[in-house]
Amino acid sequence: MRRFFLFPLLFLIVSYLHAGDNWKDVITNKRGKVVFYWYPNNVTISDSKDIIDGIEHDLAFAFVEFINERYDVALEIEWIKTDSFQEVMDLVRTGSGGVFGASSISITPERQTYLNFTPPYLADVAVLVSNSRVPIARTPEEFKRVFQGLTAVSIPNTTLYEAISDLESRQDLKFNMLQVQNSGQIIEYIANTENSFGYIDLPNFLVAIDDNSNIRRQFFHPIKLKGLGMIFPKDSDWEEPVNDYFNSSQFQLDKNEIIIKYLGEDVSGIIDRISKSAEIGPFEEIVISNREKELQYEELLAATLRDQERRRTNNILILVTVVAVLILMLVYVSNVIKSRANRVLLDQQSTIEKRNEQLQALNDEKNDLIKILAHDLRSPLATIRGMSSVLGNNKTLTDEEHKITKHITQSSEKMDAMITKILDVDAIESGKRNMKQEAFDMHNLISSIKDDHLEEAKKKDIEIKIASGGPVIVSADQFYTTQIVENLLSNAIKFSEKGKVVKMAAWDEGSYGRICVLDQGPGFSKEDEKKLFKKYQHLSAKPTGGETSVGLGLSIVKTYTEMMNGKVSYKTKKGEGTEFLIDLPKGTAATA
């Protein structure tokens, strides 16, 4: 689901005493300043729910850049925040020279009598929305019955407020009027309060339904005005440069690019289509409804995918459990056989050769069981890979479904490689691990591992960051190196609180290539450090999200690192986090 990140207006100036320069003086002096008064559409602009704040901000800078280039001047821009929407219009109305107002201002005939407006930069369409508990009115009679006595939420001295008052008068209704400061508060109040409604700008509505399922649109009484524009004083001599920019092809290019930046192409297309019609007719109604249905479908699809992911995870857990039980059974059978053989050898030295033959036969049985187990595990994995390959070639799948299919294929391949490493009979019998020395880039490796753990981190609102850098080539076993980094990253996520950051990096360190995993977890106590790399050790820190830990991760990290002639070290501070450092021998790029 697309999410719109809303950008704040920057460089706010406290003083209200500054004024913009006259255009005549700017041309003469080849330099000057324009002042933009603004009022945010939300209490905290950095958390603004109103995309128009960002659009006006970027258009103002595009306007100044155009004037500087066209007239060869050095024009500066100053932003002054006001305490209300009405104050923006009052300050511009009484101002002079290069004074402008940018606050989602509707162009109306009454306002045009005392203010100059730029040509509109965005369609001015508002729709009536209500809390999801308010029934959808299907007829005018139903509308009057449903909305009688509800709470109407709006911003005073705005066209939205005027539309509410006009609706109350024309329909002979009585509303409980609630005044708020901005559009963001309208959306928030309606979403959290039953029996409430209000008018919202169409762009804000299309963004709001993407983020909030607790509001709905009513089909009656939409409003459409001439458009949204920036304002400047009636007696200002800036009309020439304003018209020069806002009637230029450059303005059209800037406007389209900026609106797409904040709204996205799909929502921007809807606004553009509606802006070209005189009113909201049947076709425009269909366009808006289709967008609402698209978002509903996306939400349903996301829920379905989450359900599929849960089922897939459960199936994997079942498979892992079965494999673990089989391995434990094999270990148990092997231990029973060895214990029985040892007792026989101690009691009957004379039968050593015969018993050795029996042990060899039993050992062959064990090897056969291991081979059967490996074969039986690979068969369902092959089926999974085959089915995911078929799904991946299906052109009707969405990008998200293709991504999930690819992830299934990669996970099954990874598990197949793990089985090969663990169940290789020759490696088990010789007491050595099946290690493949090869050259590879550690920076690429940690980037791939990060992608595999994004969903795990997202569940706890943890951000994974990778420091930028060039290739870091080492000579080691890529499979075991992946296991090392995955154990460290998984532990960092598992033992970090929600909202923390985990950092990863790779760089050259003398004759070694170094991987760093840094978390903001609880760190290790002195007692923890004594048993840090031992098997089946439970330390003082506990997983923060209810996860489980068997105490093998750091033991595996140390074993695999030293097996590849590497070194593992760490830095920790109780309550502030831990930094793990893995050093592996350098390789050459030519063989990577």
Side-chain angles (χ1 to χ4, degrees):
M1 183 176 289
R2 188 191 304 272
R3 294 193 174 268
F4 302 90
F5 296 91
L6 313 173
F7 296 84
L9 303 177
L10 305 177
F11 315 117
L12 306 183
I13 308 299
V14 175
S15 172
Y16 286 81
L17 301 178
H18 296 173
D21 295 321
N22 291 323
W23 175 243
K24 180 180 178 181
D25 294 336
V26 172
I27 291 296
T28 301
N29 300 326
K30 290 296 182 180
R31 64 189 310 106
K33 179 181 70 174
V34 291
V35 173
F36 274 83
Y37 290 106
W38 69 281
Y39 174 69
N41 275 308
N42 199 11
V43 176
T44 305
I45 191 63
S46 62
D47 296 326
S48 177
K49 294 180 175 63
D50 194 296
I51 48 80
I52 302 175
D53 293 330
I55 291 174
E56 290 184 331
H57 171 269
D58 289 6
L59 273 178
F61 275 99
F63 166 65
V64 169
E65 183 179 351
F66 176 87
I67 296 301
N68 285 339
E69 183 176 344
R70 174 63 63 88
Y71 292 96
D72 191 24
V73 297
L75 194 62
E76 297 179 354
I77 188 169
E78 179 181 10
W79 292 94
I80 300 179
K81 180 182 176 182
T82 68
D83 292 327
S84 69
F85 170 80
Q86 184 63 42
E87 188 177 359
V88 173
M89 293 198 294
D90 291 342
L91 287 170
V92 175
R93 181 178 185 178
T94 58
S96 61
V99 174
F100 295 85
S103 191
S104 307
I105 302 173
S106 297
I107 303 172
T108 67
E110 189 268 335
R111 290 172 180 171
Q112 286 179 307
T113 62
Y114 58 85
L115 289 169
N116 271 332
F117 279 86
T118 66
Y121 61 85
L122 194 66
D124 188 7
V125 178
V127 292
L128 202 62
V129 301
S130 66
N131 183 273
S132 60
R133 296 284 185 133
V134 177
I136 294 291
R138 305 295 178 180
T139 66
E141 291 74 19
E142 279 188 9
F143 181 86
K144 294 183 67 173
R145 177 173 53 80
V146 169
F147 278 76
Q148 181 70 261
L150 297 188
T151 298
V153 190
S154 195
I155 309 166
N157 301 316
T158 64
T159 54
L160 299 180
Y161 193 92
E162 292 173 3
I164 291 285
S165 300
D166 182 62
L167 180 63
E168 186 178 39
S169 174
R170 284 189 295 106
Q171 299 296 319
D172 191 24
L173 296 170
K174 184 62 179 176
F175 304 139
N176 298 314
M177 298 296 291
L178 175 67
Q179 297 182 2
V180 294
Q181 295 179 330
N182 48 65
S183 297
Q185 288 183 350
I186 293 177
I187 296 170
E188 187 172 354
Y189 184 89
I190 294 174
N192 295 313
T193 309
E194 295 184 15
N195 298 325
S196 62
F197 73 99
Y199 276 105
I200 302 178
D201 296 324
L202 183 58
N204 285 327
F205 169 70
L206 294 174
V207 172
I209 60 174
D210 202 1
D211 296 329
N212 195 318
S213 60
N214 211 28
I215 63 173
R216 62 172 58 172
R217 180 172 63 94
Q218 296 287 339
F219 300 116
F220 285 97
H221 309 298
I223 57 175
K224 180 178 181 183
L225 301 178
K226 186 175 181 179
L228 300 179
M230 299 181 188
I231 57 173
F232 56 105
K234 268 292 187 182
D235 60 355
S236 172
D237 64 348
W238 277 78
E239 191 164 354
E240 176 189 344
V242 167
N243 289 331
D244 193 9
Y245 173 66
F246 282 90
N247 291 320
S248 68
S249 59
Q250 184 61 44
F251 164 68
Q252 296 299 326
L253 292 174
D254 292 341
K255 180 185 73 169
N256 292 339
E257 181 179 343
I258 291 169
I259 291 176
I260 289 174
K261 169 185 173 183
Y262 287 95
L263 293 177
E265 291 190 15
D266 49 355
V267 176
S268 176
I270 294 173
I271 300 299
D272 181 64
R273 175 64 184 84
I274 292 176
S275 67
K276 295 175 181 177
S277 63
E279 60 182 14
I280 299 181
F283 180 81
E284 288 72 24
E285 179 64 40
I286 291 172
V287 170
I288 299 173
S289 297
N290 283 343
R291 176 58 181 167
E292 292 171 319
K293 290 177 181 177
E294 284 177 15
L295 294 172
Q296 292 170 0
Y297 171 75
E298 289 171 5
E299 185 177 347
L300 179 62
L301 178 59
T304 301
L305 292 176
R306 288 193 298 270
D307 185 60
Q308 290 176 347
E309 180 65 20
R310 283 194 296 270
R311 289 200 299 269
R312 188 181 71 86
T313 301
N314 290 338
N315 290 337
I316 292 175
L317 288 174
I318 292 171
L319 179 61
V320 170
T321 302
V322 171
V323 172
V325 169
L326 290 175
I327 291 174
L328 288 174
M329 289 176 63
L330 288 174
V331 171
Y332 174 78
V333 170
S334 179
N335 287 336
V336 169
I337 293 172
K338 289 180 180 179
S339 297
R340 191 176 297 166
N342 287 333
R343 288 196 301 270
V344 171
L345 288 172
L346 290 173
D347 294 339
Q348 299 179 357
Q349 291 292 331
S350 61
T351 60
I352 290 177
E353 292 183 2
K354 182 179 179 180
R355 296 303 185 193
N356 281 341
E357 292 177 358
Q358 293 175 346
L359 287 174
Q360 183 61 46
L362 291 172
N363 193 52
D364 290 341
E365 286 183 29
K366 180 195 71 176
N367 290 342
D368 288 340
L369 284 173
I370 291 174
K371 291 176 182 177
I372 292 171
L373 176 61
H375 178 270
D376 289 344
L377 286 175
R378 286 194 174 105
S379 294
L381 284 177
T383 302
I384 292 172
R385 286 202 305 273
M387 293 175 66
S388 62
S389 176
V390 172
L391 286 174
N393 293 325
N394 190 338
K395 297 182 179 179
T396 63
L397 294 182
T398 64
D399 291 342
E400 183 67 22
E401 289 169 339
H402 275 295
K403 181 179 178 182
I404 292 172
T405 302
K406 182 178 179 182
H407 185 67
I408 292 172
T409 302
Q410 292 173 343
S411 297
S412 59
E413 290 174 350
K414 182 177 177 182
M415 190 170 184
D416 186 66
M418 187 182 300
I419 291 170
T420 300
K421 292 283 185 179
I422 295 174
L423 300 180
D424 189 290
V425 176
D426 292 334
I428 293 173
E429 290 184 338
S430 64
K432 298 178 181 179
R433 297 187 181 273
N434 184 16
M435 188 176 71
K436 178 183 178 183
Q437 204 79 5
E438 58 186 331
F440 59 93
D441 182 5
M442 290 204 298
H443 201 277
N444 288 340
L445 182 123
I446 64 174
S447 296
S448 174
I449 293 172
K450 171 192 172 183
D451 292 339
D452 290 341
H453 288 75
L454 285 177
E455 189 65 26
E456 178 185 354
K458 182 179 179 182
K459 292 177 181 177
K460 298 179 71 174
D461 196 25
I462 291 174
E463 183 180 7
I464 304 174
K465 291 184 177 180
I466 294 182
S468 60
V472 180
I473 308 302
V474 297
S475 178
D477 187 303
Q478 189 167 350
F479 174 83
Y480 288 129
T481 306
T482 299
Q483 297 298 303
I484 291 169
V485 180
E486 285 191 336
N487 270 293
L488 293 178
L489 179 57
S490 180
N491 278 351
I493 296 171
K494 186 183 298 181
F495 292 95
S496 292
E497 296 289 344
K498 288 186 176 181
K500 297 295 184 179
V501 176
V502 176
K503 298 180 180 179
M504 302 173 70
W507 67 85
D508 290 326
E509 187 73 21
S511 60
Y512 291 92
R514 172 168 287 180
I515 296 175
C516 168
V517 179
L518 174 63
D519 65 46
Q520 296 177 331
F524 297 117
S525 65
K526 295 297 182 182
E527 287 299 316
D528 288 340
E529 291 185 63
K530 294 178 181 178
K531 51 187 179 180
L532 197 59
F533 295 104
K534 296 180 180 179
K535 292 181 180 179
Y536 306 108
Q537 298 296 315
H538 291 278
L539 308 181
S540 60
K542 304 298 180 185
T544 59
E547 303 94 331
T548 58
S549 174
V550 297
L552 278 173
L554 293 179
S555 172
I556 292 173
V557 167
K558 181 176 177 64
T559 300
Y560 285 2
T561 302
E562 293 177 351
M563 183 179 68
M564 296 184 290
N565 300 318
K567 299 181 294 183
V568 57
S569 58
Y570 68 94
K571 301 174 184 177
T572 187
K573 191 169 183 181
K574 188 66 176 175
E576 295 185 12
T578 303
E579 179 183 28
F580 279 97
L581 303 170
I582 304 297
D583 294 336
L584 296 174
K586 278 187 177 179
T588 59
T591 59

